[in-house]
PDB file of all heavy atoms in Angstrom:
ATOM      1  N   ILE A   1      88.832  97.970  87.180  1.00 96.00           N
ATOM      2  CA  ILE A   1      87.540  98.650  87.329  1.00 96.00           C
ATOM      3  C   ILE A   1      86.782  98.115  88.539  1.00 96.00           C
ATOM      4  O   ILE A   1      85.652  98.538  88.801  1.00 96.00           O
ATOM      5  CB  ILE A   1      86.677  98.518  86.060  1.00 96.00           C
ATOM      6  CG1 ILE A   1      86.349  97.052  85.774  1.00 96.00           C
ATOM      7  CG2 ILE A   1      87.356  99.187  84.881  1.00 96.00           C
ATOM      8  CD1 ILE A   1      85.329  96.883  84.648  1.00 96.00           C
ATOM      9  N   LEU A   2      87.390  97.188  89.287  1.00 97.00           N
ATOM     10  CA  LEU A   2      86.751  96.671  90.492  1.00 97.00           C
ATOM     11  C   LEU A   2      86.913  97.658  91.647  1.00 97.00           C
ATOM     12  O   LEU A   2      87.932  98.352  91.734  1.00 97.00           O
ATOM     13  CB  LEU A   2      87.369  95.336  90.897  1.00 97.00           C
ATOM     14  CG  LEU A   2      87.189  94.140  89.965  1.00 97.00           C
ATOM     15  CD1 LEU A   2      87.866  92.920  90.580  1.00 97.00           C
ATOM     16  CD2 LEU A   2      85.730  93.861  89.694  1.00 97.00           C
ATOM     17  N   PRO A   3      85.961  97.718  92.566  1.00 97.00           N
ATOM     18  CA  PRO A   3      86.162  98.498  93.798  1.00 97.00           C
ATOM     19  C   PRO A   3      87.383  97.966  94.546  1.00 97.00           C
ATOM     20  O   PRO A   3      87.670  96.760  94.504  1.00 97.00           O
ATOM     21  CB  PRO A   3      84.871  98.239  94.588  1.00 97.00           C
ATOM     22  CG  PRO A   3      83.858  97.867  93.557  1.00 97.00           C
ATOM     23  CD  PRO A   3      84.604  97.122  92.495  1.00 97.00           C
ATOM     24  N   PRO A   4      88.119  98.839  95.226  1.00 97.00           N
ATOM     25  CA  PRO A   4      89.368  98.414  95.880  1.00 97.00           C
ATOM     26  C   PRO A   4      89.200  97.239  96.842  1.00 97.00           C
ATOM     27  O   PRO A   4      90.070  96.368  96.919  1.00 97.00           O
ATOM     28  CB  PRO A   4      89.821  99.678  96.617  1.00 97.00           C
ATOM     29  CG  PRO A   4      89.202 100.797  95.858  1.00 97.00           C
ATOM     30  CD  PRO A   4      87.893 100.280  95.370  1.00 97.00           C
ATOM     31  N   ASP A   5      88.095  97.212  97.601  1.00 97.00           N
ATOM     32  CA  ASP A   5      87.932  96.124  98.570  1.00 97.00           C
ATOM     33  C   ASP A   5      87.747  94.780  97.870  1.00 97.00           C
ATOM     34  O   ASP A   5      88.283  93.757  98.316  1.00 97.00           O
ATOM     35  CB  ASP A   5      86.769  96.414  99.512  1.00 97.00           C
ATOM     36  CG  ASP A   5      85.459  96.672  98.787  1.00 97.00           C
ATOM     37  OD1 ASP A   5      85.498  97.115  97.621  1.00 97.00           O
ATOM     38  OD2 ASP A   5      84.387  96.441  99.382  1.00 97.00           O
ATOM     39  N   LEU A   6      87.019  94.770  96.756  1.00 96.00           N
ATOM     40  CA  LEU A   6      86.846  93.525  96.012  1.00 96.00           C
ATOM     41  C   LEU A   6      88.170  93.068  95.406  1.00 96.00           C
ATOM     42  O   LEU A   6      88.518  91.883  95.457  1.00 96.00           O
ATOM     43  CB  LEU A   6      85.818  93.718  94.892  1.00 96.00           C
ATOM     44  CG  LEU A   6      84.353  93.437  95.200  1.00 96.00           C
ATOM     45  CD1 LEU A   6      83.524  93.555  93.937  1.00 96.00           C
ATOM     46  CD2 LEU A   6      84.174  92.058  95.838  1.00 96.00           C
ATOM     47  N   PHE A   7      88.893  93.992  94.797  1.00 97.00           N
ATOM     48  CA  PHE A   7      90.168  93.630  94.175  1.00 97.00           C
ATOM     49  C   PHE A   7      91.127  93.057  95.211  1.00 97.00           C
ATOM     50  O   PHE A   7      91.772  92.034  94.974  1.00 97.00           O
ATOM     51  CB  PHE A   7      90.783  94.849  93.491  1.00 97.00           C
ATOM     52  CG  PHE A   7      91.965  94.504  92.633  1.00 97.00           C
ATOM     53  CD1 PHE A   7      91.799  94.132  91.309  1.00 97.00           C
ATOM     54  CD2 PHE A   7      93.249  94.533  93.156  1.00 97.00           C
ATOM     55  CE1 PHE A   7      92.891  93.805  90.520  1.00 97.00           C
ATOM     56  CE2 PHE A   7      94.349  94.206  92.383  1.00 97.00           C
ATOM     57  CZ  PHE A   7      94.168  93.841  91.055  1.00 97.00           C
ATOM     58  N   GLN A   8      91.197  93.689  96.360  1.00 96.00           N
ATOM     59  CA  GLN A   8      92.098  93.226  97.417  1.00 96.00           C
ATOM     60  C   GLN A   8      91.708  91.833  97.892  1.00 96.00           C
ATOM     61  O   GLN A   8      92.568  90.974  98.127  1.00 96.00           O
ATOM     62  CB  GLN A   8      92.074  94.213  98.585  1.00 96.00           C
ATOM     63  CG  GLN A   8      92.945  93.836  99.768  1.00 96.00           C
ATOM     64  CD  GLN A   8      94.425  93.883  99.441  1.00 96.00           C
ATOM     65  OE1 GLN A   8      94.825  94.550  98.491  1.00 96.00           O
ATOM     66  NE2 GLN A   8      95.241  93.183 100.218  1.00 96.00           N
ATOM     67  N   LYS A   9      90.415  91.598  98.044  1.00 96.00           N
ATOM     68  CA  LYS A   9      89.946  90.300  98.523  1.00 96.00           C
ATOM     69  C   LYS A   9      90.377  89.170  97.608  1.00 96.00           C
ATOM     70  O   LYS A   9      90.872  88.129  98.070  1.00 96.00           O
ATOM     71  CB  LYS A   9      88.420  90.328  98.643  1.00 96.00           C
ATOM     72  CG  LYS A   9      87.801  88.989  99.040  1.00 96.00           C
ATOM     73  CD  LYS A   9      86.284  89.090  99.124  1.00 96.00           C
ATOM     74  CE  LYS A   9      85.655  87.735  99.473  1.00 96.00           C
ATOM     75  NZ  LYS A   9      84.166  87.845  99.567  1.00 96.00           N
ATOM     76  N   TYR A  10      90.227  89.341  96.302  1.00 96.00           N
ATOM     77  CA  TYR A  10      90.495  88.259  95.367  1.00 96.00           C
ATOM     78  C   TYR A  10      91.943  88.219  94.880  1.00 96.00           C
ATOM     79  O   TYR A  10      92.352  87.252  94.237  1.00 96.00           O
ATOM     80  CB  TYR A  10      89.520  88.331  94.193  1.00 96.00           C
ATOM     81  CG  TYR A  10      88.131  87.923  94.617  1.00 96.00           C
ATOM     82  CD1 TYR A  10      87.180  88.879  94.976  1.00 96.00           C
ATOM     83  CD2 TYR A  10      87.770  86.587  94.722  1.00 96.00           C
ATOM     84  CE1 TYR A  10      85.915  88.516  95.397  1.00 96.00           C
ATOM     85  CE2 TYR A  10      86.510  86.207  95.144  1.00 96.00           C
ATOM     86  CZ  TYR A  10      85.585  87.174  95.481  1.00 96.00           C
ATOM     87  OH  TYR A  10      84.335  86.807  95.920  1.00 96.00           O
ATOM     88  N   ALA A  11      92.709  89.245  95.218  1.00 95.00           N
ATOM     89  CA  ALA A  11      94.123  89.248  94.858  1.00 95.00           C
ATOM     90  C   ALA A  11      94.947  88.315  95.740  1.00 95.00           C
ATOM     91  O   ALA A  11      96.130  88.088  95.476  1.00 95.00           O
ATOM     92  CB  ALA A  11      94.679  90.668  94.945  1.00 95.00           C
ATOM     93  N   GLN A  12      94.343  87.762  96.787  1.00 93.00           N
ATOM     94  CA  GLN A  12      95.073  86.918  97.740  1.00 93.00           C
ATOM     95  C   GLN A  12      95.017  85.428  97.402  1.00 93.00           C
ATOM     96  O   GLN A  12      95.483  84.608  98.186  1.00 93.00           O
ATOM     97  CB  GLN A  12      94.490  87.120  99.154  1.00 93.00           C
ATOM     98  CG  GLN A  12      94.286  88.564  99.567  1.00 93.00           C
ATOM     99  CD  GLN A  12      95.580  89.332  99.616  1.00 93.00           C
ATOM    100  OE1 GLN A  12      96.585  88.826 100.101  1.00 93.00           O
ATOM    101  NE2 GLN A  12      95.567  90.552  99.106  1.00 93.00           N
ATOM    102  N   LEU A  13      94.448  85.058  96.264  1.00 94.00           N
ATOM    103  CA  LEU A  13      94.093  83.658  96.028  1.00 94.00           C
ATOM    104  C   LEU A  13      94.997  82.911  95.049  1.00 94.00           C
ATOM    105  O   LEU A  13      94.637  81.836  94.576  1.00 94.00           O
ATOM    106  CB  LEU A  13      92.638  83.590  95.532  1.00 94.00           C
ATOM    107  CG  LEU A  13      91.590  84.204  96.449  1.00 94.00           C
ATOM    108  CD1 LEU A  13      90.198  84.062  95.844  1.00 94.00           C
ATOM    109  CD2 LEU A  13      91.631  83.556  97.829  1.00 94.00           C
ATOM    110  N   SER A  14      96.168  83.445  94.760  1.00 93.00           N
ATOM    111  CA  SER A  14      97.064  82.793  93.795  1.00 93.00           C
ATOM    112  C   SER A  14      97.861  81.680  94.472  1.00 93.00           C
ATOM    113  O   SER A  14      99.082  81.759  94.652  1.00 93.00           O
ATOM    114  CB  SER A  14      97.993  83.833  93.160  1.00 93.00           C
ATOM    115  OG  SER A  14      97.250  84.833  92.496  1.00 93.00           O
ATOM    116  N   PHE A  15      97.178  80.610  94.824  1.00 94.00           N
ATOM    117  CA  PHE A  15      97.794  79.523  95.601  1.00 94.00           C
ATOM    118  C   PHE A  15      98.951  78.866  94.866  1.00 94.00           C
ATOM    119  O   PHE A  15      99.861  78.300  95.493  1.00 94.00           O
ATOM    120  CB  PHE A  15      96.737  78.466  95.956  1.00 94.00           C
ATOM    121  CG  PHE A  15      96.271  77.645  94.795  1.00 94.00           C
ATOM    122  CD1 PHE A  15      96.925  76.469  94.451  1.00 94.00           C
ATOM    123  CD2 PHE A  15      95.176  78.041  94.032  1.00 94.00           C
ATOM    124  CE1 PHE A  15      96.494  75.704  93.373  1.00 94.00           C
ATOM    125  CE2 PHE A  15      94.741  77.291  92.961  1.00 94.00           C
ATOM    126  CZ  PHE A  15      95.405  76.113  92.622  1.00 94.00           C
ATOM    127  N   TRP A  16      98.951  78.879  93.544  1.00 94.00           N
ATOM    128  CA  TRP A  16      99.967  78.162  92.756  1.00 94.00           C
ATOM    129  C   TRP A  16     101.358  78.767  92.895  1.00 94.00           C
ATOM    130  O   TRP A  16     102.342  78.132  92.549  1.00 94.00           O
ATOM    131  CB  TRP A  16      99.561  78.156  91.286  1.00 94.00           C
ATOM    132  CG  TRP A  16      99.277  79.507  90.734  1.00 94.00           C
ATOM    133  CD1 TRP A  16     100.172  80.398  90.203  1.00 94.00           C
ATOM    134  CD2 TRP A  16      98.002  80.158  90.695  1.00 94.00           C
ATOM    135  NE1 TRP A  16      99.538  81.554  89.828  1.00 94.00           N
ATOM    136  CE2 TRP A  16      98.199  81.434  90.114  1.00 94.00           C
ATOM    137  CE3 TRP A  16      96.713  79.776  91.074  1.00 94.00           C
ATOM    138  CZ2 TRP A  16      97.143  82.329  89.919  1.00 94.00           C
ATOM    139  CZ3 TRP A  16      95.678  80.674  90.877  1.00 94.00           C
ATOM    140  CH2 TRP A  16      95.888  81.930  90.296  1.00 94.00           C
ATOM    141  N   ARG A  17     101.445  79.997  93.399  1.00 90.00           N
ATOM    142  CA  ARG A  17     102.759  80.624  93.548  1.00 90.00           C
ATOM    143  C   ARG A  17     103.507  80.112  94.768  1.00 90.00           C
ATOM    144  O   ARG A  17     104.724  80.255  94.865  1.00 90.00           O
ATOM    145  CB  ARG A  17     102.611  82.149  93.631  1.00 90.00           C
ATOM    146  CG  ARG A  17     102.176  82.767  92.323  1.00 90.00           C
ATOM    147  CD  ARG A  17     102.079  84.257  92.417  1.00 90.00           C
ATOM    148  NE  ARG A  17     101.658  84.830  91.142  1.00 90.00           N
ATOM    149  CZ  ARG A  17     101.253  86.080  90.987  1.00 90.00           C
ATOM    150  NH1 ARG A  17     101.187  86.880  92.040  1.00 90.00           N
ATOM    151  NH2 ARG A  17     100.891  86.527  89.799  1.00 90.00           N
ATOM    152  N   GLU A  18     102.801  79.547  95.698  1.00 86.00           N
ATOM    153  CA  GLU A  18     103.434  78.983  96.897  1.00 86.00           C
ATOM    154  C   GLU A  18     102.924  77.567  97.107  1.00 86.00           C
ATOM    155  O   GLU A  18     102.534  77.189  98.208  1.00 86.00           O
ATOM    156  CB  GLU A  18     103.149  79.879  98.102  1.00 86.00           C
ATOM    157  CG  GLU A  18     103.722  81.285  97.953  1.00 86.00           C
ATOM    158  CD  GLU A  18     103.455  82.165  99.162  1.00 86.00           C
ATOM    159  OE1 GLU A  18     102.843  81.667 100.119  1.00 86.00           O
ATOM    160  OE2 GLU A  18     103.854  83.334  99.135  1.00 86.00           O
ATOM    161  N   LEU A  19     102.956  76.816  96.046  1.00 88.00           N
ATOM    162  CA  LEU A  19     102.418  75.460  96.053  1.00 88.00           C
ATOM    163  C   LEU A  19     103.442  74.509  96.663  1.00 88.00           C
ATOM    164  O   LEU A  19     104.507  74.261  96.100  1.00 88.00           O
ATOM    165  CB  LEU A  19     102.091  75.047  94.618  1.00 88.00           C
ATOM    166  CG  LEU A  19     101.185  73.846  94.402  1.00 88.00           C
ATOM    167  CD1 LEU A  19      99.817  74.065  95.030  1.00 88.00           C
ATOM    168  CD2 LEU A  19     101.045  73.585  92.911  1.00 88.00           C
ATOM    169  N   THR A  20     103.122  73.974  97.835  1.00 85.00           N
ATOM    170  CA  THR A  20     104.025  73.039  98.499  1.00 85.00           C
ATOM    171  C   THR A  20     103.447  71.628  98.436  1.00 85.00           C
ATOM    172  O   THR A  20     102.238  71.442  98.309  1.00 85.00           O
ATOM    173  CB  THR A  20     104.233  73.439  99.972  1.00 85.00           C
ATOM    174  OG1 THR A  20     102.956  73.481 100.633  1.00 85.00           O
ATOM    175  CG2 THR A  20     104.893  74.810 100.063  1.00 85.00           C
ATOM    176  N   ASP A  21     104.325  70.635  98.504  1.00 88.00           N
ATOM    177  CA  ASP A  21     103.921  69.229  98.505  1.00 88.00           C
ATOM    178  C   ASP A  21     103.116  68.870  97.258  1.00 88.00           C
ATOM    179  O   ASP A  21     102.179  68.070  97.311  1.00 88.00           O
ATOM    180  CB  ASP A  21     103.100  68.903  99.761  1.00 88.00           C
ATOM    181  CG  ASP A  21     103.885  69.164 101.038  1.00 88.00           C
ATOM    182  OD1 ASP A  21     105.086  68.860 101.040  1.00 88.00           O
ATOM    183  OD2 ASP A  21     103.301  69.662 102.007  1.00 88.00           O
ATOM    184  N   SER A  22     103.482  69.446  96.132  1.00 94.00           N
ATOM    185  CA  SER A  22     102.818  69.144  94.868  1.00 94.00           C
ATOM    186  C   SER A  22     103.874  68.859  93.809  1.00 94.00           C
ATOM    187  O   SER A  22     104.930  69.503  93.776  1.00 94.00           O
ATOM    188  CB  SER A  22     101.938  70.309  94.413  1.00 94.00           C
ATOM    189  OG  SER A  22     101.445  70.078  93.107  1.00 94.00           O
ATOM    190  N   LYS A  23     103.584  67.918  92.933  1.00 94.00           N
ATOM    191  CA  LYS A  23     104.495  67.571  91.846  1.00 94.00           C
ATOM    192  C   LYS A  23     104.150  68.297  90.547  1.00 94.00           C
ATOM    193  O   LYS A  23     104.740  68.020  89.503  1.00 94.00           O
ATOM    194  CB  LYS A  23     104.476  66.060  91.619  1.00 94.00           C
ATOM    195  CG  LYS A  23     105.017  65.250  92.789  1.00 94.00           C
ATOM    196  CD  LYS A  23     105.004  63.761  92.483  1.00 94.00           C
ATOM    197  CE  LYS A  23     105.553  62.954  93.654  1.00 94.00           C
ATOM    198  NZ  LYS A  23     105.535  61.495  93.376  1.00 94.00           N
ATOM    199  N   ALA A  24     103.199  69.209  90.608  1.00 95.00           N
ATOM    200  CA  ALA A  24     102.819  69.946  89.400  1.00 95.00           C
ATOM    201  C   ALA A  24     103.970  70.842  88.945  1.00 95.00           C
ATOM    202  O   ALA A  24     104.667  71.447  89.753  1.00 95.00           O
ATOM    203  CB  ALA A  24     101.576  70.789  89.668  1.00 95.00           C
ATOM    204  N   PHE A  25     104.176  70.920  87.640  1.00 95.00           N
ATOM    205  CA  PHE A  25     105.165  71.823  87.069  1.00 95.00           C
ATOM    206  C   PHE A  25     104.521  73.206  86.925  1.00 95.00           C
ATOM    207  O   PHE A  25     103.327  73.311  86.666  1.00 95.00           O
ATOM    208  CB  PHE A  25     105.639  71.312  85.708  1.00 95.00           C
ATOM    209  CG  PHE A  25     106.457  70.054  85.793  1.00 95.00           C
ATOM    210  CD1 PHE A  25     105.848  68.825  85.966  1.00 95.00           C
ATOM    211  CD2 PHE A  25     107.837  70.104  85.706  1.00 95.00           C
ATOM    212  CE1 PHE A  25     106.594  67.658  86.057  1.00 95.00           C
ATOM    213  CE2 PHE A  25     108.601  68.943  85.794  1.00 95.00           C
ATOM    214  CZ  PHE A  25     107.980  67.722  85.973  1.00 95.00           C
ATOM    215  N   ARG A  26     105.349  74.245  87.066  1.00 94.00           N
ATOM    216  CA  ARG A  26     104.788  75.592  87.028  1.00 94.00           C
ATOM    217  C   ARG A  26     105.685  76.553  86.271  1.00 94.00           C
ATOM    218  O   ARG A  26     106.908  76.454  86.340  1.00 94.00           O
ATOM    219  CB  ARG A  26     104.590  76.118  88.458  1.00 94.00           C
ATOM    220  CG  ARG A  26     103.446  75.470  89.197  1.00 94.00           C
ATOM    221  CD  ARG A  26     103.469  75.839  90.668  1.00 94.00           C
ATOM    222  NE  ARG A  26     104.591  75.188  91.337  1.00 94.00           N
ATOM    223  CZ  ARG A  26     105.216  75.692  92.400  1.00 94.00           C
ATOM    224  NH1 ARG A  26     104.846  76.847  92.894  1.00 94.00           N
ATOM    225  NH2 ARG A  26     106.203  75.029  92.964  1.00 94.00           N
ATOM    226  N   ILE A  27     105.054  77.465  85.554  1.00 94.00           N
ATOM    227  CA  ILE A  27     105.754  78.589  84.929  1.00 94.00           C
ATOM    228  C   ILE A  27     105.147  79.837  85.535  1.00 94.00           C
ATOM    229  O   ILE A  27     104.047  80.255  85.172  1.00 94.00           O
ATOM    230  CB  ILE A  27     105.589  78.578  83.404  1.00 94.00           C
ATOM    231  CG1 ILE A  27     106.064  77.249  82.812  1.00 94.00           C
ATOM    232  CG2 ILE A  27     106.378  79.730  82.777  1.00 94.00           C
ATOM    233  CD1 ILE A  27     105.809  77.117  81.316  1.00 94.00           C
ATOM    234  N   THR A  28     105.848  80.399  86.512  1.00 89.00           N
ATOM    235  CA  THR A  28     105.288  81.507  87.286  1.00 89.00           C
ATOM    236  C   THR A  28     106.290  82.652  87.382  1.00 89.00           C
ATOM    237  O   THR A  28     107.440  82.533  86.958  1.00 89.00           O
ATOM    238  CB  THR A  28     104.913  81.052  88.711  1.00 89.00           C
ATOM    239  OG1 THR A  28     106.114  80.808  89.452  1.00 89.00           O
ATOM    240  CG2 THR A  28     104.069  79.797  88.685  1.00 89.00           C
ATOM    241  N   SER A  29     105.838  83.730  87.982  1.00 80.00           N
ATOM    242  CA  SER A  29     106.680  84.919  88.122  1.00 80.00           C
ATOM    243  C   SER A  29     107.297  85.041  89.504  1.00 80.00           C
ATOM    244  O   SER A  29     108.005  85.991  89.777  1.00 80.00           O
ATOM    245  CB  SER A  29     105.850  86.179  87.829  1.00 80.00           C
ATOM    246  OG  SER A  29     104.749  86.253  88.713  1.00 80.00           O
ATOM    247  N   LYS A  30     107.019  84.077  90.370  1.00 60.00           N
ATOM    248  CA  LYS A  30     107.501  84.181  91.747  1.00 60.00           C
ATOM    249  C   LYS A  30     108.214  82.892  92.122  1.00 60.00           C
ATOM    250  O   LYS A  30     107.649  81.809  92.078  1.00 60.00           O
ATOM    251  CB  LYS A  30     106.339  84.433  92.705  1.00 60.00           C
ATOM    252  CG  LYS A  30     106.768  84.731  94.143  1.00 60.00           C
ATOM    253  CD  LYS A  30     105.545  85.108  94.974  1.00 60.00           C
ATOM    254  CE  LYS A  30     105.942  85.446  96.401  1.00 60.00           C
ATOM    255  NZ  LYS A  30     104.772  85.814  97.216  1.00 60.00           N
ATOM    256  N   ALA A  31     109.468  82.980  92.493  1.00 39.00           N
ATOM    257  CA  ALA A  31     110.276  81.794  92.744  1.00 39.00           C
ATOM    258  C   ALA A  31     110.033  81.213  94.125  1.00 39.00           C
ATOM    259  O   ALA A  31     109.833  81.916  95.091  1.00 39.00           O
ATOM    260  CB  ALA A  31     111.761  82.146  92.615  1.00 39.00           C
ATOM    261  N   VAL A  32     110.049  79.893  94.186  1.00 34.00           N
ATOM    262  CA  VAL A  32     110.093  79.172  95.456  1.00 34.00           C
ATOM    263  C   VAL A  32     111.295  78.246  95.337  1.00 34.00           C
ATOM    264  O   VAL A  32     111.246  77.221  94.684  1.00 34.00           O
ATOM    265  CB  VAL A  32     108.798  78.370  95.696  1.00 34.00           C
ATOM    266  CG1 VAL A  32     108.885  77.625  97.015  1.00 34.00           C
ATOM    267  CG2 VAL A  32     107.590  79.303  95.706  1.00 34.00           C
ATOM    268  N   GLN A  33     112.397  78.643  95.934  1.00 31.00           N
ATOM    269  CA  GLN A  33     113.675  78.022  95.634  1.00 31.00           C
ATOM    270  C   GLN A  33     113.732  76.527  95.944  1.00 31.00           C
ATOM    271  O   GLN A  33     114.473  75.789  95.329  1.00 31.00           O
ATOM    272  CB  GLN A  33     114.786  78.742  96.415  1.00 31.00           C
ATOM    273  CG  GLN A  33     114.921  80.219  96.043  1.00 31.00           C
ATOM    274  CD  GLN A  33     115.341  80.410  94.601  1.00 31.00           C
ATOM    275  OE1 GLN A  33     116.011  79.571  94.026  1.00 31.00           O
ATOM    276  NE2 GLN A  33     114.925  81.515  94.009  1.00 31.00           N
ATOM    277  N   SER A  34     112.931  76.068  96.876  1.00 32.00           N
ATOM    278  CA  SER A  34     113.008  74.668  97.285  1.00 32.00           C
ATOM    279  C   SER A  34     112.225  73.738  96.370  1.00 32.00           C
ATOM    280  O   SER A  34     112.233  72.537  96.586  1.00 32.00           O
ATOM    281  CB  SER A  34     112.482  74.521  98.716  1.00 32.00           C
ATOM    282  OG  SER A  34     111.117  74.904  98.777  1.00 32.00           O
ATOM    283  N   GLU A  35     111.563  74.281  95.355  1.00 44.00           N
ATOM    284  CA  GLU A  35     110.709  73.451  94.510  1.00 44.00           C
ATOM    285  C   GLU A  35     111.239  73.431  93.088  1.00 44.00           C
ATOM    286  O   GLU A  35     111.041  74.371  92.315  1.00 44.00           O
ATOM    287  CB  GLU A  35     109.274  73.976  94.551  1.00 44.00           C
ATOM    288  CG  GLU A  35     108.709  73.935  95.957  1.00 44.00           C
ATOM    289  CD  GLU A  35     107.301  74.489  96.001  1.00 44.00           C
ATOM    290  OE1 GLU A  35     106.439  73.990  95.261  1.00 44.00           O
ATOM    291  OE2 GLU A  35     107.073  75.415  96.775  1.00 44.00           O
ATOM    292  N   PRO A  36     111.944  72.369  92.689  1.00 39.00           N
ATOM    293  CA  PRO A  36     112.607  72.338  91.387  1.00 39.00           C
ATOM    294  C   PRO A  36     111.660  72.296  90.210  1.00 39.00           C
ATOM    295  O   PRO A  36     112.072  72.556  89.093  1.00 39.00           O
ATOM    296  CB  PRO A  36     113.441  71.050  91.457  1.00 39.00           C
ATOM    297  CG  PRO A  36     112.744  70.192  92.464  1.00 39.00           C
ATOM    298  CD  PRO A  36     112.199  71.153  93.465  1.00 39.00           C
ATOM    299  N   GLN A  37     110.383  71.951  90.422  1.00 60.00           N
ATOM    300  CA  GLN A  37     109.465  71.898  89.287  1.00 60.00           C
ATOM    301  C   GLN A  37     109.045  73.270  88.797  1.00 60.00           C
ATOM    302  O   GLN A  37     108.385  73.390  87.788  1.00 60.00           O
ATOM    303  CB  GLN A  37     108.191  71.109  89.650  1.00 60.00           C
ATOM    304  CG  GLN A  37     108.384  69.612  89.692  1.00 60.00           C
ATOM    305  CD  GLN A  37     108.704  69.137  91.084  1.00 60.00           C
ATOM    306  OE1 GLN A  37     108.729  69.922  92.012  1.00 60.00           O
ATOM    307  NE2 GLN A  37     108.969  67.860  91.229  1.00 60.00           N
ATOM    308  N   GLN A  38     109.417  74.321  89.510  1.00 64.00           N
ATOM    309  CA  GLN A  38     108.953  75.654  89.129  1.00 64.00           C
ATOM    310  C   GLN A  38     109.953  76.324  88.200  1.00 64.00           C
ATOM    311  O   GLN A  38     111.142  76.385  88.480  1.00 64.00           O
ATOM    312  CB  GLN A  38     108.737  76.530  90.357  1.00 64.00           C
ATOM    313  CG  GLN A  38     108.351  77.968  90.002  1.00 64.00           C
ATOM    314  CD  GLN A  38     107.562  78.630  91.084  1.00 64.00           C
ATOM    315  OE1 GLN A  38     106.602  78.064  91.576  1.00 64.00           O
ATOM    316  NE2 GLN A  38     107.947  79.821  91.465  1.00 64.00           N
ATOM    317  N   HIS A  39     109.460  76.828  87.079  1.00 65.00           N
ATOM    318  CA  HIS A  39     110.248  77.655  86.176  1.00 65.00           C
ATOM    319  C   HIS A  39     109.847  79.104  86.411  1.00 65.00           C
ATOM    320  O   HIS A  39     108.696  79.462  86.237  1.00 65.00           O
ATOM    321  CB  HIS A  39     110.000  77.278  84.717  1.00 65.00           C
ATOM    322  CG  HIS A  39     110.445  75.888  84.372  1.00 65.00           C
ATOM    323  ND1 HIS A  39     111.760  75.586  84.100  1.00 65.00           N
ATOM    324  CD2 HIS A  39     109.749  74.739  84.265  1.00 65.00           C
ATOM    325  CE1 HIS A  39     111.859  74.293  83.827  1.00 65.00           C
ATOM    326  NE2 HIS A  39     110.651  73.753  83.915  1.00 65.00           N
TER     327      HIS A  39
END
């Protein structure tokens, strides 16, 4: 129900999907093959 420009602006902020140099474990929908902590 958000205006398209607002939705687009905030849709870019999922930093955890491309989290580099972090030891945090993740259960996500997007693979980063070089990071073994990601499920």
Side-chain angles (χ1 to χ4, degrees):
I1 62 172
L2 295 181
D5 56 334
L6 270 186
F7 190 88
Q8 179 67 21
K9 176 181 178 179
Y10 288 96
Q12 313 298 318
L13 303 180
S14 301
F15 71 89
W16 54 86
R17 291 182 180 167
E18 298 181 1
L19 196 60
T20 58
D21 300 321
S22 172
K23 295 182 180 179
F25 291 79
R26 287 169 289 151
I27 304 175
T28 71
S29 58
K30 187 174 181 180
V32 179
Q33 299 296 331
S34 62
E35 299 178 56
Q37 284 94 3
Q38 176 154 311
H39 296 279

